[in-house]
Amino acid sequence: MATFNIQVNGRQQQVDVDPDTPILWVLRDHLQLVGTKYGCGIAQCGACTIHLEGTAVRACSLPVSSVGDKPITTIEGLSEDASHALQEAWREHDVPQCGYCQAGQLMSAASFLKSNPNPTEAEIDAAMEGNLCRCGTYNRIKEAILTAAQNS
Amino acid sequence: MTLIKTKHNRRSFLKVTAASGGGLMLGFSWAMSCTPADKVGEIPLEWFDINAFLSIAQSGKVTIMSPNPEIGQNVKTSMPMVVAEELDVKWEDVIVKQAPLNTDVFERQVAGGSQSLRKGWQALRMAGATAKQMLIEAAAKKWNVDKSTCSASLGVIAGEGGKSVTYGEIASFAAEMQVPDEVKLKDPSEFTLIGTDRGNVDMEGIITGKPLFGLDTYKDGMQFAVVLRPPAFGTKLKSYDDTGAKTVKGVNDVIRFGDKVAVLANSTWAAMKGKKALQAEWDNDENLESTNYHDRELRKLLNTKAEEPKRKDGDVNKGFSQADKIVEKVYEAPFLPHNCLEPMNFYAHVTPEKVDLLGPIQTPERTRRQVAELLGRDQSEIFIGMTRMGGGFGRRLYGDFVLEAAEISKLANSPVKVIFSREDDMTAGTYRPASKYKFKAGLKDGKMIAYHLVGAGVNMGNATREKNFPAGTVANYLVESHNLKSNITTGAWRAPITNFLAYAEQSFFDELAESAGADPVQFRLDLFQQAKDNPVGTVDYDIDKFMGVIKLAAEKANWGNPDAGIFQGFSAYYSHNTYVAEVAEVIMKKDTPVVTKVTCAVDCGIVINPIAAKNQVEGGVVDGVGHAMYGDFSFYNGQPQQNNFHQYRMIRMKEAPKVETHFVKSYNDPTGLGEPALPPAGGAVANAIYKATGQRFYKQPFMKDQIVLG
Ligand code: FES
Ligand code: FES
């Protein structure tokens, strides 16, 4: 075990874990931040997407030892009061079915919109390629991203 | 307006009590069927089980406790809407709670088969209407007036002379009233809430990352358990060495149970690492089956005469001998894993006093029985709580992972959460069975005069739906089915049987229409018309509804007159009491077909929550298209050959067509919606790709035919 100081959603956290522990399990098992989901463990489904220094990364494939002092944002920290333009758009389009993939979808979309505030549909397709939705809510996700882009 | 009885033989479907903290609490039976009590002789006892509650607090807030687990079909939102409609309250004042299976009063919880709304519809309406009537009667009594002079709307009861009282104010008094023997249901044309778009009641939790799912269960003292299972169907554990596993930091214990070995640790990661460090040897004790074995055996069966036909009208051989054209095709489908995005998992805490279980399961009652049997405990000591589920698709009807959790907890004498890795989830599944179908049809002067279907599936029982279309439309009709027994675990998968049967049938009809020189839509309509005018044997589907969706889809998609560059394909299917027709559109992009849009027409009775209902249709279509194109799963010597998403391809955003949904306007009782949009989707797409490329697909996934789909 080793001690790591990491910054999550603006707060400094200390955890005592094996260096190879993916940040996904540090968040879930050690910091009670369970919004970040496990779906595949090999960076294929996007359910575990978080932001590292504002950029979307797959938490299942990111060992805690490689995080250093780069700030992490999880779905719990996407906005203070669930008022992110994407969260609003998710409500408007009633996006989720089972809901399991949605935190990862939101985090991927949020990081993407920051770099491309006015995307085309094809650009959204490309950016969201790494996020699976087993329930097939892709069309709503896409529409919600377009709505959020318009409203922000 | 309909009057329905709330009692049968002095037994009531409803019970009233005072709510704790004041107010009215009404318990009701979810299983109460749609049939009026006086129309049936014997009413099953379970119809009287009180298993759902609605309470009206003094604040006027209405809480509806739904016993039905949410797997993503929106039951947790749509069902309470039905109660609120009859009760006549503002939707904003309704709070929905998921009820656990932990008292004797919550029973018969099951989600699956698109049946939740269908079964609950009448019960939910009755509960809402009864509470409303009791509130009105309470107000009338208080005012000392006749109840007919009072009316209720949006949570307020009004009497003559401007008298008014809110539900909350009168609720405690209403709790002292008798449950009326008979209540009035609204006429569907009076509905104001049903038929309007209402957002998912769990939306806030989902978009802010709140713990909702089974995997989000964390309890004091809980250990994390990851299990090593036999790597191939047909093998069992010979021996294992846990030396390496025990050196992994955080691993507390390694426990064998049956042919499995559980690693218990104080974190998920440590348990996963511990499992990887286990060394095990396996014995073969049964056949080790491979995909080529299944293929060979199923093909053999397709050419075998069944002992008993499933249905026989006329004489197909005579029909074929009179035909001027015969079309015969074989369609093949692989096994499929469910791949719920939330892998299987469950929490268990077995103590001498009781057994606490919590997690995502669609069949808590059946599972409770199985756990009781496994542990040798009384069912009354077993409590199952249900979480939201990260997808079901049939997988969570099977409680294997609950049994594992219970057994491990007992052996470890500790609370545990069993977690399947994705690899565990994909390789220890209850798969959609592999199946094959052979269709043969005889045409004479462009009319179908003989039809013969042979189905063969792995552990499928009857692989056909012999009563479905085209039964009734053709004079000579024969359906046969064969079963191939296997040690691979198989089970229900979204729209069981029909998820592939519909594909095969609707692709075949496209070829048939072509051979007959007919338009595919008109070809089907002519057959239905024939069945209407001159049915052959019994017809177990509603011909008018079937024709209705076919015409609606054709009209909305501008069938037969697509814009330049667009190729259309048609498909229609009836399953789970719902009729669906779909038109797929394909364009060519640099010699590659791209599915751009699917237009759906759906008759599922009254639509309760359109925004959610459309979501189900969209998801069903995307699921159907995705698995038809990409879903491939195989076995070699009993071992699954795909174990994660790098090897098992699933449809992604850029491959998902747009979906346009049109519901037939209907006041009929609601029917299933979680599944019926899936079966026709693959066929519509395949038929459109054929128009665009001239290529037919006889095997799923289409990808195997070297087609690259953009
Ligand atoms: S769990 Fe990280 S991408 Fe799937
Ligand atoms: S909503 Fe179920 S996986 Fe996306």
Side-chain angles (χ1 to χ4, degrees):
Chain A
M1 301 281 165
T3 304
F4 295 93
N5 286 297
I6 53 175
Q7 203 204 106
V8 183
N9 298 334
R11 280 176 56 189
Q12 213 50 49
Q13 302 271 12
Q14 200 181 69
V15 288
D16 194 22
V17 293
D18 253 3
D20 66 350
T21 310
I23 197 74
L24 165 67
W25 297 112
V26 173
L27 294 168
R28 292 184 56 85
D29 289 359
H30 302 272
L31 298 176
Q32 288 80 50
L33 292 168
V34 298
T36 308
K37 298 300 188 213
Y38 167 76
C40 70
I42 57 165
Q44 290 286 319
C45 76
C48 64
T49 307
I50 57 169
H51 296 173
L52 189 65
E53 282 190 305
T55 305
V57 293
R58 310 293 182 225
C60 67
S61 305
L62 182 74
V64 60
S65 58
S66 66
V67 169
D69 53 11
K70 298 189 193 103
I72 288 171
T73 309
T74 69
I75 183 71
E76 290 91 343
L78 179 62
S79 65
E80 293 245 311
D81 49 1
S83 63
H84 190 284
L86 283 163
Q87 288 166 318
E88 301 280 13
W90 245 244
R91 286 186 196 99
E92 183 183 328
H93 292 273
D94 202 39
V95 173
Q97 283 188 31
C98 83
Y100 194 78
C101 72
Q102 300 294 343
Q105 306 278 6
L106 280 159
M107 295 309 280
S108 287
S111 137
F112 165 63
L113 277 189
K114 241 188 286 167
S115 65
N116 185 349
N118 282 304
T120 62
E121 283 198 31
E123 286 166 344
I124 297 175
D125 281 345
M128 300 301 287
E129 164 112 59
N131 287 79
L132 287 177
C133 175
R134 175 64 181 87
C135 300
T137 65
Y138 295 122
N139 285 311
R140 290 186 182 213
I141 293 169
K142 200 190 297 187
E143 281 159 28
I145 294 173
L146 287 168
T147 299
Q150 250 166 34
N151 294 346
S152 54
Chain B
M1 184 195 78
T2 326
L3 275 177
I4 62 166
K5 299 216 186 308
T6 65
K7 288 192 176 77
H8 179 69
N9 290 345
R10 290 197 318 263
R11 290 184 67 109
S12 181
F13 297 115
L14 299 139
K15 260 183 206 143
V16 64
T17 51
S20 62
L24 165 79
M25 172 119 153
L26 193 70
F28 58 103
S29 169
W30 204 269
M32 214 289 274
S33 148
C34 306
T35 325
D38 49 17
K39 289 233 177 93
V40 275
E42 264 317 292
I43 301 234
L45 266 188
E46 65 262 29
W47 286 11
F48 300 99
D49 290 347
I50 302 296
N51 55 12
F53 291 94
L54 101 82
S55 73
I56 301 163
Q58 286 171 341
S59 64
K61 288 280 176 206
V62 177
T63 305
I64 297 168
M65 299 254 262
S66 151
N68 271 63
E70 179 62 80
I71 57 173
Q73 295 181 346
N74 200 255
V75 295
K76 201 173 160 186
T77 307
S78 302
M79 293 184 144
M81 282 174 72
V82 179
V83 180
E85 174 72 66
E86 289 287 355
L87 179 57
D88 224 324
V89 284
K90 287 198 210 115
W91 181 239
E92 294 69 36
D93 288 335
V94 175
I95 302 157
V96 180
K97 282 196 183 146
Q98 166 83 58
L101 184 80
N102 62 2
T103 76
D104 281 346
V105 289
F106 283 104
E107 286 190 42
R108 264 155 256 291
Q109 294 159 302
V110 59
S114 297
Q115 299 301 309
S116 296
L117 263 175
R118 208 162 82 83
K119 290 245 172 75
W121 170 246
Q122 193 86 343
L124 296 165
R125 294 182 68 193
M126 181 172 72
T130 303
K132 176 174 163 182
Q133 195 157 319
M134 289 171 72
L135 290 160
I136 291 177
E137 282 171 13
K141 192 167 173 196
K142 195 167 174 193
W143 292 332
N144 208 4
V145 299
D146 192 86
K147 67 182 178 196
S148 64
T149 64
C150 306
S151 64
S153 170
L154 296 176
V156 181
I157 299 159
E160 279 171 346
K163 281 197 282 290
S164 108
V165 63
T166 66
Y167 283 8
E169 287 161 355
I170 198 80
S172 294
F173 187 48
E176 292 162 26
M177 311 288 295
Q178 292 281 321
V179 173
D181 286 350
E182 212 169 48
V183 291
K184 244 190 286 178
L185 299 182
K186 283 186 181 174
D187 186 90
S189 64
E190 299 168 54
F191 288 162
T192 53
L193 180 61
I194 287 175
T196 62
D197 289 341
R198 299 294 152 165
N200 194 314
V201 293
D202 276 339
M203 179 66 78
E204 294 312 303
I206 290 168
I207 62 177
T208 59
K210 292 281 171 322
L212 296 170
F213 299 92
L215 206 64
D216 303 340
T217 303
Y218 289 82
K219 302 227 179 212
D220 285 346
M222 179 187 97
Q223 296 195 76
F224 300 78
V226 174
V227 177
L228 179 69
R229 301 174 186 82
F233 291 90
T235 58
K236 61 180 187 186
L237 184 61
K238 188 171 160 194
S239 63
Y240 72 100
D241 177 356
D242 60 11
T243 324
K246 283 188 164 158
T247 63
V248 172
K249 270 177 254 157
V251 168
N252 305 324
D253 212 350
V254 177
I255 297 176
R256 174 177 183 163
F257 62 111
D259 285 313
K260 303 172 184 174
V261 183
V263 176
L264 289 101
N266 47 28
S267 73
T268 312
W269 184 243
M272 285 178 167
K273 271 171 72 175
K275 177 188 158 181
K276 284 206 182 99
L278 279 177
Q279 305 281 331
E281 283 190 62
W282 309 92
D283 262 342
N284 305 347
D285 67 335
E286 292 175 43
N287 285 345
L288 301 184
E289 299 173 5
S290 301
T291 292
N292 61 17
Y293 159 80
H294 298 126
D295 280 344
R296 202 172 54 233
E297 294 303 311
L298 290 174
R299 269 187 221 124
K300 257 192 243 164
L301 287 172
L302 286 187
N303 294 313
T304 311
K305 196 172 153 45
E307 275 171 31
E308 273 290 315
K310 292 288 166 200
R311 174 162 167 163
K312 186 170 177 280
D313 299 322
D315 179 346
V316 278
N317 287 329
K318 208 168 110 202
F320 289 134
S321 70
Q322 291 166 352
D324 53 34
K325 239 184 220 167
I326 303 251
V327 185
E328 184 175 329
K329 298 290 168 193
V330 171
Y331 297 85
E332 307 175 75
F335 288 90
L336 291 180
H338 295 86
N339 284 332
C340 302
L341 203 56
E342 178 194 19
M344 298 307 110
N345 64 83
F346 227 81
Y347 168 84
H349 190 195
V350 178
T351 63
E353 293 75 41
K354 60 175 185 158
V355 178
D356 267 321
L357 302 163
L358 177 66
I361 181 74
Q362 282 176 263
T363 50
E365 211 197 357
R366 181 169 83 200
T367 303
R368 179 166 69 173
R369 267 202 311 275
Q370 291 170 343
V371 172
E373 202 169 299
L374 174 81
L375 301 180
R377 303 282 295 249
D378 198 88
Q379 278 195 52
S380 62
E381 300 170 343
I382 296 168
F383 302 92
I384 300 191
M386 278 172 303
T387 57
R388 191 179 182 86
M389 301 180 215
F393 313 106
R395 178 63 181 92
R396 290 187 163 101
L397 295 169
Y398 309 97
D400 49 310
F401 44 92
V402 188
L403 296 177
E404 285 185 358
E407 190 159 10
I408 296 166
S409 170
K410 182 187 168 184
L411 293 170
N413 195 16
S414 153
V416 300
K417 179 170 69 176
V418 166
I419 302 134
F420 281 47
S421 66
R422 174 57 55 193
E423 290 80 4
D424 297 336
D425 192 271
M426 216 181 277
T427 57
T430 49
Y431 306 100
R432 190 279 295 269
S435 65
K436 299 193 193 304
Y437 293 95
K438 185 168 83 176
F439 292 83
K440 183 176 176 185
L443 297 167
K444 190 174 182 189
D445 304 326
K447 298 246 176 309
M448 183 165 75
I449 57 165
Y451 180 89
H452 183 193
L453 165 64
V454 188
V458 178
N459 298 337
M460 233 171 169
N462 180 5
T464 66
R465 287 284 183 268
E466 66 279 1
K467 294 178 184 164
N468 253 0
F469 173 83
T473 69
V474 55
N476 304 297
Y477 177 89
L478 178 64
V479 172
E480 301 175 279
S481 180
H482 297 281
N483 190 43
L484 175 65
K485 275 217 178 112
S486 163
N487 56 19
I488 291 168
T489 48
T490 55
W493 194 98
R494 195 176 196 175
I497 316 277
T498 61
N499 58 49
F500 182 68
L501 173 58
Y503 169 79
E505 176 195 296
Q506 290 296 302
S507 302
F508 183 67
F509 269 86
D510 207 58
E511 284 205 50
L512 216 49
E514 191 180 34
S515 296
D519 171 79
V521 170
Q522 197 54 48
F523 186 71
R524 288 172 175 83
L525 290 175
D526 288 347
L527 283 167
F528 283 117
Q529 193 58 48
Q530 213 167 298
K532 236 183 126 160
D533 301 341
N534 220 341
V536 182
T538 55
V539 177
D540 287 279
Y541 47 86
D542 186 319
I543 298 172
D544 288 327
K545 284 186 183 165
F546 224 143
M547 290 174 92
V549 293
I550 289 174
K551 286 180 187 160
L552 183 62
E555 176 206 319
K556 294 292 181 187
N558 206 10
W559 172 257
N561 297 301
D563 290 347
I566 293 178
F567 302 89
Q568 294 178 316
F570 192 85
S571 175
Y573 207 75
Y574 164 64
S575 65
H576 302 274
N577 299 297
T578 296
Y579 299 81
V580 183
E582 297 178 9
V583 176
E585 296 186 357
V586 162
I587 58 167
M588 294 300 286
K589 251 190 200 163
K590 297 194 209 99
D591 294 337
T592 305
V594 177
V595 188
T596 50
K597 186 176 163 187
V598 177
T599 304
C600 306
V602 181
D603 189 340
C604 57
I606 192 163
V607 175
I608 292 167
N609 187 7
I611 196 170
K614 282 185 186 156
N615 210 345
Q616 292 302 310
V617 175
E618 291 160 17
V621 169
V622 169
D623 196 357
V625 173
H627 282 93
M629 285 187 177
Y630 312 116
D632 196 12
F633 199 72
S634 55
F635 292 89
Y636 185 72
N637 283 341
Q639 189 159 4
Q641 296 300 291
Q642 291 76 22
N643 71 16
N644 205 326
F645 299 131
H646 63 306
Q647 293 162 329
Y648 184 91
R649 183 166 170 192
M650 297 234 281
I651 191 166
R652 291 180 185 264
M653 184 182 281
K654 75 171 174 18
E655 296 138 356
K658 296 241 178 308
V659 180
E660 190 183 295
T661 308
H662 302 274
F663 292 107
V664 171
K665 196 158 176 46
S666 168
Y667 285 141
N668 294 325
D669 290 357
T671 57
L673 204 50
E675 300 174 291
L678 185 150
V685 166
N687 297 339
I689 295 177
Y690 170 71
K691 279 275 181 56
T693 65
Q695 186 178 0
R696 295 271 186 204
F697 300 101
Y698 299 103
K699 244 188 187 180
Q700 284 191 2
F702 307 162
M703 268 233 313
K704 273 215 159 145
D705 283 312
Q706 258 72 57
I707 190 158
V708 189
L709 293 152

